[in-house]
Amino acid sequence: MQRIIVTGGCGFIGSNFIRHMLTQHPGLSIVNIDALTYAGNLENLRDVESNANYEFQKGSICDREFIERVISEKPTDAVINFAAESHVDRSILDSGPFVQTNIVGTQVLLDVCRSAKVPRYLQVSTDEVYGSLGAEGFFTEETPLAPNSPYSSSKAAADLLVRGYVHTFGFPGLITRCSNNYGPYQFPEKLIPLFISNLLRGESVPVYGKGDNVRDWIHVLDHCRGIEATLLRGKVGEVYNFGGRTELQNIELTRMLIKLLGKTDESIRYVTDRPGHDLRYAIDCAKAEEELGWQPQVGFEAGLQETIDWYVANQDWVERIRSGAYRSYYEQQYGERLA
Ligand code: NAD
Ligand code: DAU
């Protein structure tokens, strides 16, 4: 591959993916398309912005003309779609942007890629499309879709569009579905970065309900390696699940964070539960292991400690988000104010 387009590359996983790909594939050109919503932070890629193989284009995946222009500038070997509204709590407050970006934006990308004959399209989806598990069992790629939040419903709708384009048009689409990611550059509205940054500031941490919901945690670089493997070796039309085989109740994880940061259980604040809160996610990633030769490489304890260390060393990154100052970096670089 010579040129790929990554959408949503200024977010958490997209920025880690771009850095990973630039390091692993020195001849590869990467164009990052990002609308710079509240979750998009140009500072996440400061260290690669002078790399001759990296280019940033500000714009929305919902903007057909813009997407057509970027895709047709040079031959494009693949489009990897990370761009999304990604936070469940925000989708409960207002599902509008989720329908626009996650569904309409995906449809625009599919149409433009199809007419430009882009040879590979990878949709970055989520395990949340499978709904919620009870105490037993795992999600496989055959588990029926049963999304429970406006966020996961919009992601499932996008997956079904990809499926429909593959089936109807022979479109070269692939889908990945991953469990909860953690690692550097995660926006501090999600559990791990929110709790770390609150604890560092001496604040309490809001645990929803009783904290007995279970998530399956995977380091973001293991997810990035899974997307890379799917891009290089995945079969068109297939879905691949990725997970870290690390199931934890939220309260267990909260206590780990509290201990690692030298605080006490007095930091815990139990708050009203998230409406429709999925009880448990757990991924069976045997297919990715067998067909792609992928395996998670980062042990949870080491990965969590390394993540804490990153947030400790980068408290200014969090503070610039909390204060809104991170939004001015785009203006500094491009001379245009962000809305
Ligand atoms: P994020 O919220 O950190 O980043 C999303 C990025 O998309 C931001 O840079 C934002 O500016 C950009 N964006 C939003 N709307 C856009 C639009 N209309 N056009 C162009 N760019 C737009 O999200 P994340 O956690 O990095 O997740 C990335 C993808 O991975 C999402 O599709 C998400 O559903 C999926 N995913 C996330 C997780 C997780 O644990 N975070 C797990 C599995 C799958
Ligand atoms: O499973 C993959 C999904 O993981 C991704 O598709 C989503 O984009 C990503 O946001 C994540 O969704 P969750 O809803 O699981 O992540 P979040 O960090 O918001 O919450 C993790 C768990 O912690 C969940 O059970 C809700 C709980 N929680 C979350 C927050 C923000 C709390 O108890 N308190 C909080 O303040």
Side-chain angles (χ1 to χ4, degrees):
M1 286 195 187
Q2 294 188 325
R3 182 196 196 231
I4 61 170
I5 293 179
V6 169
T7 68
C10 292
F12 164 46
I13 307 173
S15 61
N16 277 286
F17 180 74
I18 288 174
R19 188 174 293 102
H20 172 75
M21 292 299 278
L22 287 171
T23 312
Q24 296 299 312
H25 305 272
L28 182 69
S29 292
I30 303 183
V31 181
N32 171 17
I33 290 180
D34 199 296
L36 296 181
T37 68
Y38 80 93
N41 186 346
L42 204 56
E43 295 184 335
N44 290 357
L45 288 165
R46 262 182 117 132
D47 55 328
V48 305
E49 66 195 15
S50 59
N51 185 322
N53 287 331
Y54 170 73
E55 179 189 338
F56 172 66
Q57 297 253 11
K58 180 180 171 295
S60 170
I61 59 167
C62 301
D63 180 345
R64 184 177 297 260
E65 282 178 21
F66 165 70
I67 297 296
E68 277 170 351
R69 180 174 63 67
V70 180
I71 285 186
S72 63
E73 266 166 9
K74 286 188 194 147
T76 301
D77 297 308
V79 169
I80 302 111
N81 181 25
F82 290 87
E85 289 294 334
S86 69
H87 193 39
V88 173
D89 293 330
R90 286 180 188 257
S91 80
I92 294 167
L93 295 172
D94 180 8
S95 62
F98 289 75
V99 171
Q100 278 309 310
T101 287
N102 300 3
I103 307 178
V104 177
T106 298
Q107 183 235 336
V108 168
L109 288 176
L110 294 173
D111 274 350
V112 177
C113 287
R114 183 176 159 242
S115 59
K117 298 194 169 42
V118 173
R120 218 154 166 86
Y121 174 92
L122 196 156
Q123 177 74 5
V124 180
S125 186
T126 167
D127 63 352
E128 296 200 13
V129 298
Y130 297 123
S132 183
L133 291 164
E136 302 289 322
F138 296 90
F139 297 133
T140 74
E141 290 80 358
E142 307 305 320
T143 303
L145 301 192
N148 287 321
S149 73
Y151 162 68
S152 52
S153 302
S154 66
K155 292 294 290 184
D159 287 12
L160 292 177
L161 278 173
V162 176
R163 180 190 154 92
Y165 275 60
V166 170
H167 188 80
T168 307
F169 305 118
F171 181 77
L174 302 99
I175 298 173
T176 59
R177 296 188 181 133
C178 190
S179 63
N180 285 62
N181 287 217
Y182 70 96
Y185 299 101
Q186 187 166 29
F187 199 84
E189 64 183 350
K190 307 283 166 65
L191 186 143
I192 288 184
L194 176 70
F195 285 18
I196 293 173
S197 54
N198 278 14
L199 292 166
L200 285 174
R201 289 158 64 106
E203 293 170 3
S204 62
V205 294
V207 172
Y208 297 166
K210 295 194 203 108
D212 52 2
N213 304 71
V214 174
R215 296 293 181 266
D216 171 358
W217 294 95
I218 180 172
H219 193 274
V220 64
L221 282 180
D222 279 330
H223 184 194
C224 291
R225 283 187 273 264
I227 293 169
E228 177 189 23
T230 308
L231 190 64
L232 299 177
R233 298 188 288 283
K235 261 175 56 191
V236 162
E238 294 291 318
V239 174
Y240 297 93
N241 284 351
F242 295 97
R245 294 217 170 87
T246 304
E247 285 186 55
L248 287 170
Q249 286 192 331
N250 292 337
I251 192 65
E252 293 177 279
L253 173 58
T254 303
R255 293 210 166 99
M256 284 175 83
L257 291 169
I258 284 175
K259 194 166 165 214
L260 289 168
L261 284 153
K263 305 287 177 185
T264 69
D265 279 9
E266 282 180 17
S267 303
I268 298 173
R269 179 166 45 95
Y270 290 95
V271 300
T272 309
D273 207 355
R274 173 185 281 174
H277 198 169
D278 284 337
L279 178 66
R280 174 172 168 257
Y281 306 143
I283 279 277
D284 177 347
C285 44
K287 179 177 171 182
E289 290 177 335
E290 282 157 24
E291 295 185 16
L292 302 175
W294 170 91
Q295 278 210 324
Q297 293 176 20
V298 184
F300 185 71
E301 283 184 18
L304 190 64
Q305 183 61 59
E306 178 210 290
T307 302
I308 291 175
D309 293 344
W310 188 88
Y311 280 91
V312 170
N314 291 279
Q315 289 181 62
D316 57 325
W317 179 88
V318 175
E319 288 314 317
R320 284 176 63 73
I321 291 176
R322 288 195 186 225
S323 70
Y326 75 114
R327 307 286 291 162
S328 63
Y329 186 62
Y330 175 73
E331 190 179 352
Q332 266 176 44
Q333 297 296 306
Y334 295 90
E336 187 192 314
R337 247 185 125 74
L338 283 180

